[in-house]
């Protein structure tokens, strides 16, 4: 600023005098201020204006007093430097109208006059005015200098107008400021903050540079745009160029290391910081943040303790670190210490500590922090309200989430709407989530991708889903990866796989979530081959499958029993370094288990450093399905000792094994454990308990287990009917069927097999005819072979063999071996040789190699003393090279 002022004048005016001088006093007593009679050579106006501009006395009122006096002694018209200094004073006191008025009165303006106005508008956040004034300057024929260009580029950065910035930079280049560091740093910052980092790099590489500010601009720009590897590479180049970094450089580089988890490089940078003595509160905070984000909380606490000065950012960094490590207790401890030290909290501190209070047991802490937020005035920040809504939602206090949402009033932003929709969705309140989404549309809030994805996640109605799909197409959200994936999943959940695939294809930039969702959709609907085809397509894209995608592909291999492809994915996962990841490892164990490669499954399981619930339950299920009873029970015992979460799927598998053992004592112990962990009311577990007690012959406990189920589904009811039927309690079985209908549950074909079986075991012929006819007339279920076989069995057990024969002859479908075999068994019981021969003949035509038919017919003839027929049948067996398999018993 020395170069801006003309050191010709001398005055007795002082800053303290201005404090007491009014405009009236200036007129009456001009001796306090310079006038035409006090202009002496050697007067230096710079110290006065410099001190005045930086002091608290630089107000609009005092500047106007000074302005009036300078007009009176006629210094403004004769000296442009003093006029420029007065403009600067007006700009510093935010009196831009006065500054503009004075500017327009200067007869001989120079570039400094224009610069003060452009930078003044920037200081007052009137960035549009800054650009307008620059255009006026350009049209007036004034040549801007580097300070002009720098100020204008700063305004373009704030206004996010890279196009205008490019025009300004082109003009600067044309006027010879191509290599000016001030201009280049402004342009790099503009590109970096408008997501044009490639252009920022191009500007940086245009001219070699030894200016730390330029290097800092491009490194921080790389970090801002997520190009953290590029930031570290630039830092290495800077160091190789023998240019010493400063604290700003270190802050950016440490941020990059934290984002990449590069703890080794971060420690090297920290060593350099100590060596150069460049550690200030900002660098110290970044070091703490580095250790915290890399999960090294002991080191983070140590570095935090070493810092001589703490600010809100450093406190927030250490608190966020503990939150990231799910250590809510330590996070709250440091938060209390921060409050005790009198440090002011900000919205970032609050959102971090609220994330720590998302357990059901921490409702009281969440409410206390809520009170603190109200007291500290942070409630006006929309992000804080969103964090409160999310915290209450995760602890199950949806009513409090909704209350916060209502209290926010006009403060709500799109993030707040998304938070409340997500809250309702997480707590399975479908109607209210959809209602809030509709309200957004009514209030012209225009749901964003987060709100839309959240509401799509809970929609199970195809009609509603299509309406929201129409909205996403209208506003262009359907092509977004997250929304497109949610649409695809929604259609898959509604069993509309074709529309699911169309939504997937509409996504422009498919990410791992998109691919994983579609692969899972194909697998769940029995199209494992199409799922694997998608995996082959991924290989031609520039996408590296993550853990979730690999798990989805492995599940597709499990569904299709594709062991060879599963082994390929296993090899890829090992090469990618994720083969021992909890999610991927569990999927690999599941794949080998489903493909009946139990040895491989066990080998992978034993190699996993952290054995998750999926891996354990998958292997237990594999053992159970393949009859490895001892191995299944031992692994289940390991899960109990390791305190792993045991889900209903694992429990059901183990109960199936216990049923095979026919050991009621183990079953009773298992039932006690199920009750202890609160799964006795679960539908799948309850059905397995009913089946287990039924196999063990304890029908009373079977009914008790059924009664404990909170909301029995069709499978549970059917299992209970089958249990009664197998134990000869036909009347009870039919009563259960009637209760099923009273609950409004629609029976299926399997249920009717159970009902007819109950009639068969108890000789209820007329009731059987009633239920058989009810299948088609009341429920539109077409009888199958098992239903016809049940009817034949009922008639056969009742001795109504001729009626059974007529029933078979009049069947609308061709009788199979099961039906004729049922009739043959009835003939054996009642000794009807002729009809038995007919049934045996039909079976031999359908199954000529079935030895049991010959044996049954032979035994029937032997019981009636027809030994010639017995000999004849035995000779037929020998002639057909058939032999009876020897019987065996476990007893």
């Amino acid at each position: 600023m020395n170069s801006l002022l003309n050191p010709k004048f001398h005055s007795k005016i002082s800053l303290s005098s201005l404090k007491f001088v009014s405009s009236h006093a200036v007129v009456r007593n001009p001796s306090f201020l310079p006038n035409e009679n006090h202009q002496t050579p050697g007067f230096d106006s710079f110290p006065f204006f410099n001190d005045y501009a930086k002091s608290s006395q630089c107000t609009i009122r005092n500047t106007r007093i000074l302005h009036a006096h300078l007009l009176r002694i006629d210094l403004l018209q004769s000296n442009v430097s003093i006029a420029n200094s007065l403009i600067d004073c007006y700009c510093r006191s935010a009196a831009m109208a006065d500054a503009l008025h004075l500017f327009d009165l200067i007869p001989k303006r120079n570039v400094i006059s224009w610069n003060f106005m452009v930078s003044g508008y920037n200081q007052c956040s009137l960035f549009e005015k800054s650009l307008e004034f620059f255009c006026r300057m350009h049209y007036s024929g004034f040549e801007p200098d580097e300070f002009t260009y720098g100020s204008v580029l700063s305004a373009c950065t704030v206004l996010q107008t890279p196009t205008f910035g490019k025009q300004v930079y082109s003009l600067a280049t044309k006027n010879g400021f191509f290599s000016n560091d001030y201009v280049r740093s402004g342009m790099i910052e503009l590109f970096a903050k408008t997501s044009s980092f490639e252009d920022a790099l191009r500007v940086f590489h245009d001219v070699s540079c030894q200016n730390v500010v330029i290097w800092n601009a491009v490194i921080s720009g790389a970090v801002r745009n997520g190009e953290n590897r590029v930031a570290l590479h630039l830092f290495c180049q800077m160091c190789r160029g023998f240019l010493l970094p400063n604290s700003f450089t270190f802050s950016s580089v440490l941020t990059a290391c934290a984002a990449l988890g590069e703890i080794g490089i971060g420690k090297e940078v920290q060593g350099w910081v100590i060596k150069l003595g460049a550690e200030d509160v900002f660098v110290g905070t970044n070091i703490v943040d580095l250790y915290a984000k890399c999960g090294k909380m002991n080191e983070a606490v140590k570095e935090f303790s070493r810092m001589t000065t703490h600010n809100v950012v450093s406190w927030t960094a250490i608190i966020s670190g503990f939150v990231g490590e799910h250590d809510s207790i330590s996070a709250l401890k440091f938060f209390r210490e921060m409050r005790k030290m009198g440090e002011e909290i900000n919205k970032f501190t609050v959102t971090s500590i609220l994330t720590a209070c998302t357990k059901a047991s921490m409702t009281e802490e969440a409410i206390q922090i809520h009170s603190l937020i109200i007291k500290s005035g942070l409630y006006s920040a929309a992000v804080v309200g969103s964090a409160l809504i999310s915290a209450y939602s995760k602890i199950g206090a949806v009513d409090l989430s909704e209350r916060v949402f209502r209290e926010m009033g006009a403060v709500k932003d799109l993030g707040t709407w998304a938070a409340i929709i997500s809250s309702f969705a997480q707590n399975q309140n479908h109607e209210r989530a959809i209602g809030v989404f509709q309200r957004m549309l009514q209030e012209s809030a225009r749901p964003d991708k987060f709100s839309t994805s959240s509401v799509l996640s809970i929609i199970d109605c195809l009609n509603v889903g299509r309406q929201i799909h129409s909205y996403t197409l209208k506003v262009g959200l359907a092509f977004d990866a997250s929304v497109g994936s949610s649409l695809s999943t929604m259609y898959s959940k509604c069993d509309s796989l074709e529309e699911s695939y169309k939504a997937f294809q509409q996504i422009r930039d498919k990410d791992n979530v998109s691919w994983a969702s579609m692969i899972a959709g194909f697998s769940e609907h029995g199209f494992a081959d199409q799922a694997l085809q998608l995996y082959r397509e991924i290989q031609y894209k520039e996408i590296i499958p993550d853990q979730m995608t690999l798990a989805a592909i492995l599940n597709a291999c499990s569904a299709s029993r594709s062991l060879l492809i599963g082994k390929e994915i296993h090899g890829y996962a090992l090469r990618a370094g994720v083969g021992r990841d909890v999610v991927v490892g569990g999927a690999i164990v599941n794949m080998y288990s489903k493909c009946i490669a139990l040895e491989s499954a066990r080998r992978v399981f034993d190699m996993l450093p952290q054995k998750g619930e999926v891996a354990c339950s998958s292997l237990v299920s594999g053992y159970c399905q393949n009859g490895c009873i001892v191995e299944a029970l031992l692994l289940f015992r390991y899960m109990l000792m390791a305190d792993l979460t045991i889900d209903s799927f694992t429990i059901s598998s183990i109960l199936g094994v216990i049923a095979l053992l026919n050991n009621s004592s183990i079953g009773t112990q298992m039932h006690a454990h199920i009750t202890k962990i609160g799964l006795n009311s679960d539908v799948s577990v309850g059905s397995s308990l009913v089946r287990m007690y039924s196999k063990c012959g304890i029908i009373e406990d079977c009914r008790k287990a059924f009664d404990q189920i909170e909301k029995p589904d069709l499978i549970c009811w059917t299992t209970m009917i089958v249990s009664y039927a197998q134990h000869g309690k036909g009347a009870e079985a039919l009563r259960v069927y009637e209760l099923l209908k009273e609950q409004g549950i629609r029976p299926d074909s399997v249920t009717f097999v159970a009902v007819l079986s109950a009639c068969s075991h108890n000789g209820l012929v007329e009731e059987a005819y009633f239920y058989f006819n009810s299948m088609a007339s009341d429920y539109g279920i077409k009888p199958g072979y098992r239903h016809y076989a049940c009817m034949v069995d009922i008639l056969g057990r009742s001795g109504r063999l001729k009626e059974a024969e007529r029933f078979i002859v009049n069947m609308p479908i061709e009788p199979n071996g099961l039906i004729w075999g049922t009739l043959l068994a009835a003939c054996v019981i009642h000794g009807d040789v002729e009809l038995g021969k007919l049934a045996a003949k039909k079976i031999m035509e359908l199954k000529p190699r079935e030895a049991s038919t010959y044996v049954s017919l032979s035994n029937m003839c032997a019981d009636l003393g027809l030994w010639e027929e017995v000999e004849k049948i035995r000779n037929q067996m020998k002639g057909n090279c058939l032999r009876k398999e020897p019987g065996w018993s476990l007893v």
Side-chain angles (χ1 to χ4, degrees):
M1 192 169 175
N2 282 314
S3 61
L4 306 183
L5 300 174
N6 190 345
K8 284 184 177 180
F9 301 95
H10 172 72
S11 174
K12 296 180 181 178
I13 187 171
S14 66
L15 289 175
S16 58
S17 65
L18 282 174
K19 186 175 181 180
F20 305 103
V21 177
S22 67
S23 57
H24 179 67
V26 167
V27 175
R28 291 185 57 192
N29 190 8
S31 60
F32 287 98
L33 297 171
N35 54 48
E36 62 277 6
N37 299 321
H38 291 85
Q39 293 181 18
T40 60
F43 167 67
D44 187 358
S45 60
F46 172 71
F48 166 74
F49 281 109
N50 187 47
D51 291 342
Y52 172 68
K54 292 179 180 179
S55 71
S56 60
Q57 297 182 30
C58 184
T59 62
I60 297 176
R61 179 178 179 278
N62 288 342
T63 305
R64 285 173 178 168
I65 293 172
L66 179 60
H67 187 178
H69 181 70
L70 292 173
L71 283 172
R72 182 176 181 81
I73 61 177
D74 199 25
L75 280 179
L76 290 178
Q77 297 296 323
S78 60
N79 194 304
V80 69
S81 297
I82 292 180
N84 288 341
S85 296
L86 191 58
I87 290 175
D88 183 35
C89 293
Y90 273 129
C91 292
R92 287 174 185 265
S93 55
M96 292 308 300
D98 295 81
L100 179 61
H101 179 72
L102 175 59
F103 175 86
D104 289 335
L105 294 176
I106 299 176
K108 294 183 180 180
R109 295 185 288 263
N110 58 19
V111 68
I112 298 170
S113 312
W114 292 93
N115 285 352
F116 274 134
M117 290 300 300
V118 172
S119 63
Y121 281 123
N122 280 0
Q123 290 169 17
C124 297
S125 300
L126 300 172
F127 301 103
E128 294 90 349
K129 289 287 186 180
S130 178
L131 300 187
E132 291 176 11
F133 218 82
F134 173 76
C135 293
R136 178 183 168 185
M137 176 183 184
H138 179 66
Y139 293 137
S140 299
F142 278 90
E143 289 293 335
D145 61 10
E146 65 268 28
F147 302 110
T148 321
Y149 291 124
S151 296
V152 173
L153 289 173
S154 295
C156 292
T157 302
V158 176
L159 295 173
Q160 298 283 289
T161 54
T163 303
F164 191 86
K166 288 178 182 179
Q167 295 174 351
V168 172
Y169 186 65
S170 299
L171 184 63
T173 303
K174 177 183 176 183
N175 292 337
F177 294 98
F178 176 76
S179 59
N180 183 270
D181 290 340
Y182 190 55
V183 176
R184 287 177 65 215
S185 65
M187 198 63 209
I188 290 170
E189 186 179 16
L190 170 62
F191 280 137
K193 289 184 177 180
T194 54
S195 302
S196 302
F197 183 65
E198 289 184 5
D199 293 326
L201 270 181
R202 195 174 296 114
V203 172
F204 174 75
H205 288 303
D206 280 344
V207 179
S208 60
C209 176
Q210 289 296 313
N211 190 324
V212 176
V213 175
I214 301 291
W215 284 93
N216 285 349
V218 73
I219 291 173
S220 64
V223 174
R224 176 186 294 273
N225 287 272
E227 299 287 349
N228 297 295
R229 291 286 175 197
V230 176
L232 295 183
H233 178 69
L234 287 167
F235 177 68
C236 293
Q237 283 184 317
M238 177 183 180
C239 297
R240 283 197 294 268
F242 303 104
L243 195 62
L244 282 179
N246 58 22
S247 59
F248 298 104
T249 323
F250 288 128
S251 293
S252 296
V253 173
L254 286 166
T255 301
C257 291
L260 295 170
E262 289 284 1
I263 188 70
I265 299 175
K267 286 183 176 180
E268 293 177 10
V269 174
Q270 183 187 3
W272 204 352
V273 168
I274 295 171
K275 183 179 179 181
L276 295 178
E279 185 172 1
D280 55 18
V281 66
F282 303 107
V283 175
T285 298
N286 279 284
I287 292 172
V288 170
D289 189 51
L290 166 70
Y291 284 116
K293 286 183 177 173
C294 292
K296 306 290 185 182
M297 290 310 300
N298 289 335
E299 287 85 349
V301 172
K302 190 184 298 180
E303 293 302 323
F304 181 81
S305 302
R306 286 182 59 250
M307 293 176 63
T308 56
T309 305
H310 299 108
N311 60 11
V312 64
V313 181
S314 54
W315 282 103
T316 303
I318 195 72
I319 291 169
S320 299
F322 280 116
V323 172
E325 292 298 306
H326 307 290
D327 187 351
S328 302
I329 303 300
S330 298
L332 286 167
K333 175 186 172 184
F334 271 86
F335 181 72
R336 292 190 186 99
E337 188 66 25
M338 177 184 181
R339 297 285 299 147
K340 191 184 297 182
M341 297 293 292
E343 186 69 53
E344 288 293 327
I345 59 174
N346 61 18
K347 59 184 180 182
F348 302 107
T349 319
V350 168
T351 52
S352 292
I353 200 62
L354 280 171
T355 308
C357 301
T358 53
K359 298 178 182 177
S361 59
M362 303 186 74
T363 307
E364 185 178 344
E365 286 81 356
I367 293 173
Q368 288 176 358
I369 294 170
H370 187 174
S371 302
L372 178 62
I373 289 169
I374 297 172
K375 183 180 178 181
S376 59
L378 290 172
Y379 220 166
S380 58
V383 67
V384 174
S386 301
L388 262 174
I389 292 170
S390 179
Y392 280 136
S393 169
K394 288 177 181 177
I395 60 179
V398 189
D399 53 336
L400 292 176
S401 289
E402 191 173 14
R403 180 179 174 181
V404 171
F405 180 76
R406 288 196 307 268
E407 288 176 351
M408 291 184 69
V411 179
K412 294 189 288 286
D413 63 358
L414 288 176
T416 313
W417 287 97
I420 192 64
I421 291 174
S422 177
S423 174
F424 288 135
Q426 288 172 7
N427 290 275
Q428 299 302 307
N429 199 326
H430 298 194
E431 292 182 2
R432 297 179 84 174
I434 295 171
V436 173
F437 188 82
Q438 292 173 332
R439 183 178 159 192
M440 284 188 77
L441 295 173
Q442 292 167 358
E443 296 184 13
S444 302
R446 190 169 181 172
D448 60 2
K449 61 182 181 180
F450 303 107
S451 303
T452 308
S453 298
S454 292
V455 78
L456 283 169
S457 69
I458 46 92
I459 288 177
D460 52 9
C461 174
L462 196 57
N463 185 37
V464 177
R466 283 172 177 160
Q467 292 180 44
I468 295 179
H469 190 181
S470 300
Y471 167 77
T472 62
L473 287 169
K474 181 180 178 181
V475 298
L477 283 174
F479 312 109
D480 177 78
S482 61
V483 175
S485 299
S486 298
L487 280 167
S488 179
T489 303
M490 181 273 297
Y491 280 124
S492 177
K493 192 164 56 178
C494 295
D495 297 323
S496 181
L497 203 58
E498 184 178 349
E499 289 179 281
S500 174
Y501 187 59
K502 286 180 181 178
F504 169 76
Q505 288 179 312
Q506 285 181 335
I507 303 172
R508 288 179 184 147
D509 298 318
K510 299 179 182 66
D511 57 8
N512 271 300
V513 176
S514 311
W515 289 100
S517 299
M518 195 66 244
I519 290 170
F522 275 131
S523 298
E524 290 166 3
H525 287 81
F527 295 94
D529 292 337
Q530 286 84 342
L532 295 176
Q533 181 60 40
L534 279 184
Y535 166 65
R536 296 185 184 96
E537 288 183 29
I538 290 179
Q539 295 175 321
Y540 295 102
K541 308 288 183 180
E542 293 183 0
I543 295 177
I544 300 174
D546 63 2
Q547 288 93 320
M548 296 305 297
T549 310
L550 289 174
I553 298 166
L554 286 163
N555 289 335
C557 295
S558 302
S560 63
R561 305 295 191 269
S562 303
L563 182 59
L564 183 60
I565 300 176
K567 286 181 176 180
E568 292 177 8
I569 307 299
H570 185 187
Y572 176 86
L574 290 172
R575 290 194 301 274
V578 294
R580 296 186 179 183
D581 176 79
V582 174
V583 175
V584 178
I588 293 171
V589 172
N590 182 51
M591 182 271 298
Y592 281 125
S593 298
K594 292 285 178 63
C595 294
I596 321 177
L598 293 177
E599 289 186 7
S600 298
R602 184 68 198 216
R603 195 178 302 118
V604 173
F605 178 82
D606 290 337
M607 292 172 62
L608 292 176
Q610 184 178 352
K611 295 169 177 60
E613 288 81 6
V614 175
C616 290
S617 60
S618 298
L619 190 53
V620 167
S621 175
Y623 281 142
C624 293
Q625 290 172 6
N626 291 280
C628 302
I629 298 174
V630 176
E631 290 84 351
L633 292 174
L634 287 174
L635 184 55
F636 181 73
R637 180 174 176 270
Y638 165 79
M639 292 182 71
L640 292 174
M641 294 179 66
D643 199 25
L644 292 172
T645 302
I646 300 174
D647 59 8
S648 57
F649 176 75
T650 310
I651 295 287
S652 298
S653 298
I654 288 295
L655 286 171
V657 168
I658 295 172
L660 292 175
L661 285 173
N662 196 16
N663 190 323
S664 59
S665 62
I666 298 178
T668 304
Q669 293 177 42
M670 191 66 192
H671 192 175
H673 179 74
I674 290 168
T675 305
K676 181 181 177 181
I677 62 177
L679 283 176
N680 55 314
S681 61
D682 181 83
V683 175
S684 61
V685 173
S687 295
S688 300
L689 273 171
V690 170
R691 198 176 297 111
M692 184 269 295
Y693 279 126
S694 177
K695 290 281 180 71
C696 293
I698 312 174
I699 194 65
E700 293 80 9
D701 289 342
C702 192
R703 182 57 194 246
K704 288 177 182 177
F706 176 80
D707 290 337
Q708 287 181 338
I709 302 171
E710 187 174 348
K711 291 182 179 180
D713 60 4
L714 180 59
I715 296 174
C716 293
W717 287 99
T718 303
T719 304
M720 194 63 232
I721 295 170
V722 170
S723 299
Y724 273 133
Q726 289 174 346
H727 288 80
K729 295 181 178 292
E732 289 84 348
L734 296 182
R735 275 199 294 271
V736 171
Y737 173 71
E738 293 301 325
L739 285 173
L740 176 151
K741 293 196 297 181
E742 289 176 11
Q743 294 295 321
I745 298 175
R746 183 184 178 88
D748 63 2
S749 60
V750 180
T751 311
F752 277 106
V753 170
V755 170
L756 292 173
S757 177
C759 294
S760 175
H761 282 79
N762 291 270
L764 305 173
V765 180
E766 301 306 323
E767 288 84 350
Y769 271 117
F770 171 78
Y771 290 120
F772 182 81
N773 294 326
S774 173
M775 286 177 61
S777 60
D778 295 337
Y779 300 102
I781 299 173
K782 187 178 180 181
Y785 283 111
R786 294 185 65 189
H787 302 102
Y788 285 111
C790 284
M791 290 301 299
V792 172
D793 185 52
I794 293 168
L795 294 170
R797 285 173 183 265
S798 301
R800 299 159 70 166
L801 298 179
K802 292 298 181 182
E803 187 178 344
E805 182 186 6
R806 287 195 302 272
F807 183 84
I808 294 173
V809 171
N810 293 324
M811 279 173 56
I813 58 176
E814 192 69 27
N816 64 359
L818 172 64
I819 293 171
W820 287 115
T822 304
L823 181 61
L824 175 59
C827 292
V828 171
I829 294 171
H830 295 283
D832 191 332
V833 178
E834 294 304 319
L835 188 56
K837 285 182 179 180
L838 174 64
K841 180 182 176 183
K842 293 291 185 180
I843 296 171
M844 291 173 189
E845 289 174 359
L846 293 168
K847 299 179 180 179
R849 307 296 296 174
E850 190 69 50
S852 62
T853 306
Y854 292 91
V855 174
S856 296
L857 188 58
S858 173
N859 291 340
M860 180 177 64
C861 292
D863 290 339
L864 296 174
L866 304 174
W867 299 109
E868 290 182 2
E869 290 292 333
V870 172
E871 187 65 25
K872 183 180 177 180
I873 293 168
R874 294 290 182 182
N875 289 333
Q876 285 179 347
M877 285 185 68
K878 290 178 182 178
N880 291 330
C881 300
L882 298 175
R883 57 187 293 273
K884 180 182 179 295
E885 292 292 333
W888 59 277
S889 174
L890 286 172
V891 181

